[in-house]
Every structure is written in C-alpha cells, then in structure tokens.
C-alpha cells in the first residue's frame, strides 16, 4: 500500500507540472488511495481538481461538473450506493461477477479495507435481481455474488434482510444455471446459507470461508470474532448438508506474536478440514492498520519458513481432494480455450475446480459439458468429454 501511494504521487508530478505550465487539463485521483489520502492529496499536490473514493464512481459526471465550475472537489465521505454503475469488467461471456455489498464494518487488525472502502452498504435486492436477469438475457450462465463480508448483506437495509434469503431468491432467477458467492465470514455465516446451497439447484457446492489462523489467541489479536472451534462447527455444517462441497479459505502466517506452537494450531486445523484450496500469505504490515504498529513482529526468516510449510501441506490436501473426482462424470461449464494447448478447453466443475479436456473452443465455450475425470493434479483435473454439450 505504501508502494501504491508513492506510485500515485510520482505519477502525479509530471501532470502537476503540465498544469503549472498553463495546459488546460483536469487532474482526477480516483480509487482506494484517493479514499485513504483524501484531502492530504490536495495539500501535497494542489493542482489536483478531484479526489474521489471508489463509492463515487457512479457520480463522476456530477463531480466533474463541480470541477468545470471551478471547484476543487473531495468526494470520500460515506455515501449510499443505490445502483451499481461500477460493474466489474467482464472478459468472459459466460461467467459474471456481481457486487452485492460494498465496504466492510469489521475491524480486522491487519486489514486496510475498512479505511479504503468505507462502511458496509448493501445494494437493494431489486437492483441485484435486475442485473442478474440482464446477464441471463445476455447469455451468461454463471454468476458469482461478491462482497468483502457477504453474510452482512441486508443488515443495513430497512427492513433488515438476510443473505440466505437473498441467495434463495437470486438462485431462482429463471434461466440461471449456476451461482456462487464470496467471501463468507465465519463470524456471520449461518447454517441457513449452507442449507440454501444444499437445496437450490443453481447454487454451486463451494464455500470460501477464510479462517486466517488456527489459534484462538491469534484470532483474537486479529479481531476476527470467532474461535477455531466455531470455525470447525461451520465446516461440520457444510459437510453435513453438502458432503461433496469444496471448502476453500485464506490463512495468514507470521501474524505479530504468533509462536511456533500457535502456527502449529493452524496446520492442525488444516489437517482436520483438508481444504480444496488454501490461499496463504505471510503477514505483512499495512499502513493505517493497528497490527502494523505492534512491536511483537515475527522475524522474516520464521515467516518464510512457515509459509513454505503451510504451502506444502495445502498442496498435499489439494491433491488429495482432487483425487476424489477421478472416475466421476463432472458437469463442466467451459470458459475458454486452454492458452497452453489450443486443442484443449478449460472450464470449472460445480465445486469451482479447473477442468481441462480435449475439445473445440469455438463449439464448447459457454456450454455445460459432462466430462469423465481421468487424472488429478494439485490444483486442476483432467478428463474427456462424456456426453453432449448443452
Ligand atoms: S479482512 Fe475482510 S472482514 Fe476483515 S476488515 Fe478486511 S475486508 Fe473486512
């Protein structure tokens, strides 16, 4: 993040110089760094005309009007987003991502998101439904609902609504084949969400629930708001209602104060769950976060060592989990040609695992294809077409 700030300032220098030379231009700084720095940007670079946080992307027209009327504008205060005009770019014509909640009200002690993205704001249900219906009409077959803490959706709406209820509603949009959602927070994730996945045919059997650490004192220092025991309960609920679901997560090693024993608790939790995929990171201090200022930082050598060990174990589990697909026929939604082997296509099964098989991309992209799985690698599986594409 420090690096991002420096980049913004060094990029601004030449444009500020152009303005000083009398060129007619407006300088706009937009995005997370703009949100975080706010008026400080104007103090350092007075030539800037507009500083706007991500939540203002759908108001840029109004803000520029203010600029053209001769004002210097800072738009970083919390605002309510009624319509999503900031849709993520969609490179695929098959799978789309749909934001349903912005910002985050949590205060994880290592995370900069609450500072940069602001308070939680749920999009209204009707607006989400309209976007999904439009996507289906445009030929998209899979939608992934997005939110930093997706389980929080609806608690800021009047009347209050629940994410589980939204899921059932959106998964029932006529014509939609598949729906996924990220990211679930163990503090708020409810069994009702798991049951919705078990009962609604369009909801794919895949849960991304970051646990971050396996030791309760580390979780407390991270201000995550749950214990390892509670996390295991969630996993048990998933395995009860959706026995074949993929469970993926994020974990941080070398958090300030983490001892070798506490790190071992993270490995123990992994042994218990056996994640289909685990995204790992060695803790690195982020400016404007409490943990960055603590003195009990773990030394770099220990962090690197722990990262290597956790990655080795994660790979063992990932392969083990993928081997269960061998000999099965999986429903694969084909997304693209395999860039490495053009006679192959790449898609995903319902659990979100990448699947490669021989096939003509022209004919198969955007289609659901039954694929007999013949081999498993650590993070993907391979097979052959076993029926008509549809
Ligand atoms: S880690 Fe996730 S839940 Fe925690 S503050 Fe950051 S975005 Fe919110």
């Amino acid at each position: 993040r420090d690096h991002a700030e420096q980049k913004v300032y060094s990029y601004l220098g030449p444009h500020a110089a152009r303005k000083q030379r009398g060129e007619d231009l407006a300088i706009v700084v937009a995005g997370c760094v703009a949100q975080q720095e706010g008026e400080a940007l104007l103090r350092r670079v007075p030539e800037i005309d507009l500083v706007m946080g991500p939540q203002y992307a759908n108001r840029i027209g109004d803000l520029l009007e203010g600029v053209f009327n001769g004002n210097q504008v800072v738009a970083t205060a919390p605002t309510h987003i009624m319509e999503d005009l900031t849709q993520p770019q969609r490179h695929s014509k098959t799978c789309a991502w749909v934001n349903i909640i912005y910002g985050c009200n949590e205060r994880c002690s290592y995370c900069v998101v609450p500072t940069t993205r602001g308070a939680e704001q749920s999009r209204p249900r009707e607006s989400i439904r309209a976007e999904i219906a439009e996507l289906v009409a445009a030929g998209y077959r899979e939608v992934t609902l997005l939110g930093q803490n997706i389980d929080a959706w609806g608690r800021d709406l009047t009347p209050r609504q629940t994410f589980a209820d939204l899921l059932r509603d959106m998964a029932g949009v006529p014509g939609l084949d598949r729906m996924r959602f990220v990211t679930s927070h163990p503090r708020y994730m409810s069994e009702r969400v798991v049951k919705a996945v078990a009962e609604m045919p369009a909801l794919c059997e895949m849960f991304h629930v970051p646990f971050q650490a396996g030791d309760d004192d580390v979780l407390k220092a991270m201000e995550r708001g749950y214990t390892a025991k509670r996390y295991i309960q969630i996993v048990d609920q998933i395995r009860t209602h959706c026995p074949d679901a993929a469970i993926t997560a994020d974990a941080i090693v070398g958090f300030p104060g983490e001892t070798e024993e506490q790190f071992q608790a993270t490995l123990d939790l992994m042994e218990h769950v056996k994640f289909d995929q685990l995204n790992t990171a060695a803790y690195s201090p982020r400016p404007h976060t409490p943990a960055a200022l603590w003195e009990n930082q773990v030394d770099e050598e220990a962090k690197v060592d722990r990262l290597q060990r956790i990655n080795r174990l994660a790979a063992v589990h990932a392969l083990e989990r993928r081997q269960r697909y061998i000999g099965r026929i999986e429903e694969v939604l084909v997304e693209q040609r395999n860039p490495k082997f053009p006679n192959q296509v790449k898609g995903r099964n319902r659990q979100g695992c990448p699947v490669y098989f021989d096939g003509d991309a022209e004919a198969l992209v955007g289609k659901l294809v039954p694929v007999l799985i013949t081999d498993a690698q650590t993070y993907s599986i391979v097979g052959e077409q076993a029926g008509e594409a549809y």
Side-chain angles (χ1 to χ4, degrees):
R1 179 69 54 182
D2 255 345
H3 189 57
E5 285 156 21
Q6 283 156 17
K7 263 170 111 171
V8 168
Y9 282 114
S10 65
Y11 187 76
L12 280 169
H15 299 293
R18 286 172 62 197
K19 206 159 177 193
Q20 283 162 6
R21 286 195 300 270
E23 273 189 55
D24 183 19
L25 72 149
I27 301 181
V28 177
V29 185
C32 293
V33 172
Q35 177 73 33
Q36 181 185 297
E37 296 290 288
E39 290 187 9
L41 270 160
L42 292 190
R43 283 197 294 275
R44 275 185 65 175
V45 187
E47 290 79 10
I48 294 173
D49 296 282
L50 168 60
V51 177
M52 55 177 259
Q55 294 165 346
Y56 281 83
N58 56 347
R59 306 244 179 110
I60 190 164
D62 298 341
L63 298 174
L64 282 175
E65 206 174 305
V67 169
F68 297 137
N69 287 334
N71 301 314
Q72 229 178 2
V73 180
V74 178
T76 51
T79 171
H80 198 84
I81 299 164
M82 293 301 290
E83 281 304 318
D84 185 19
L85 302 182
T86 62
Q87 291 171 358
Q89 282 194 2
R90 295 191 172 119
H91 298 299
S92 159
K93 288 270 172 254
T94 306
C95 308
W97 291 22
V98 172
N99 286 314
I100 67 160
I101 178 169
Y102 301 88
C104 183
N105 284 6
E106 296 303 292
R107 288 291 175 270
C108 301
S109 55
Y110 53 85
C111 179
V112 76
V113 164
T115 319
T116 56
R117 306 260 172 103
E120 272 165 22
Q121 298 172 50
S122 302
R123 277 180 72 196
R125 182 187 294 242
E126 304 69 44
S127 150
I128 300 168
R129 186 210 299 275
E131 187 177 345
I132 295 173
E134 262 174 41
L135 289 165
V136 171
Y140 286 86
R141 303 196 71 172
E142 179 180 304
V143 163
T144 301
L145 305 181
L146 295 179
Q148 301 284 349
N149 171 7
I150 205 153
D151 301 280
W153 181 86
R155 64 184 182 182
D156 59 325
L157 296 176
T158 316
R160 202 180 154 101
Q161 301 176 48
T162 68
F163 176 58
D165 193 29
L166 178 84
L167 259 187
R168 285 183 185 271
D169 193 4
M170 298 305 128
V173 169
L176 181 66
D177 292 290
R178 287 179 168 192
M179 177 172 275
R180 309 179 190 276
F181 55 92
V182 284
T183 298
S184 301
H185 195 305
R187 184 176 194 167
Y188 302 102
M189 189 173 165
S190 74
E191 193 169 11
R192 295 181 55 213
V193 166
V194 182
K195 284 185 174 165
V197 174
E199 290 164 19
M200 297 296 294
L203 286 173
C204 291
E205 299 77 12
M206 180 194 130
F207 296 86
H208 183 68
V209 197
F211 71 99
Q212 306 299 12
D215 177 84
D216 288 348
D217 288 334
V218 175
L219 286 170
K220 202 166 176 196
M222 289 176 163
E223 297 192 42
R224 292 287 293 171
Y226 54 87
T227 59
K229 192 169 162 210
R230 167 68 190 136
Y231 188 87
I232 297 289
Q233 273 172 1
I234 293 169
V235 170
D236 290 345
Q237 285 170 356
I238 295 172
R239 297 252 150 97
T240 301
H241 298 295
C242 308
D244 195 36
I247 304 180
T248 62
D250 304 333
I252 298 171
V253 301
F255 189 72
E258 184 193 65
T259 62
E260 173 59 29
E261 202 183 0
Q262 289 171 325
F263 169 66
Q264 192 58 49
T266 292
L267 300 184
D268 292 346
L269 189 144
M270 289 168 64
E271 286 288 8
H272 186 91
V273 178
K274 295 194 194 297
F275 291 97
D276 288 75
Q277 183 156 345
L278 183 65
N279 307 319
T280 60
Y283 170 77
S284 97
R286 302 277 180 236
H288 310 289
T289 60
L293 304 174
W294 298 346
E295 286 178 358
N296 55 349
Q297 303 289 327
V298 172
D299 70 62
E300 288 304 316
E301 210 177 312
K303 282 191 209 170
V304 170
D305 172 60
R306 288 176 196 174
L307 190 60
Q308 286 172 349
R309 284 155 64 200
I310 195 173
N311 284 344
R312 275 199 297 271
L313 186 61
V316 169
H317 291 159
L319 180 59
E320 202 176 301
R321 291 290 291 159
R322 273 155 194 73
Q323 280 165 341
R324 78 188 194 279
Y325 297 125
I326 295 177
R328 284 172 36 171
I329 292 182
E330 293 293 295
E331 178 201 72
V332 177
L333 178 57
V334 179
E335 293 171 11
Q336 62 179 101
R337 190 187 300 276
N338 179 356
K340 280 198 203 145
F341 303 105
N343 63 335
Q344 275 194 343
V345 289
K346 179 191 173 197
R348 283 173 200 276
N349 67 355
R350 287 182 59 89
Q351 286 83 350
C353 178
V355 184
Y356 295 92
F357 64 97
D358 284 352
D360 173 12
E362 296 280 318
L364 295 178
V365 169
K367 295 273 171 48
L368 288 162
V369 182
V371 176
L372 172 67
I373 304 305
T374 53
D375 196 12
Q377 286 148 14
T378 308
Y379 292 111
S380 62
I381 49 180
V382 180
E384 51 204 44
Q385 187 166 347
E388 289 286 307
Y390 50 100

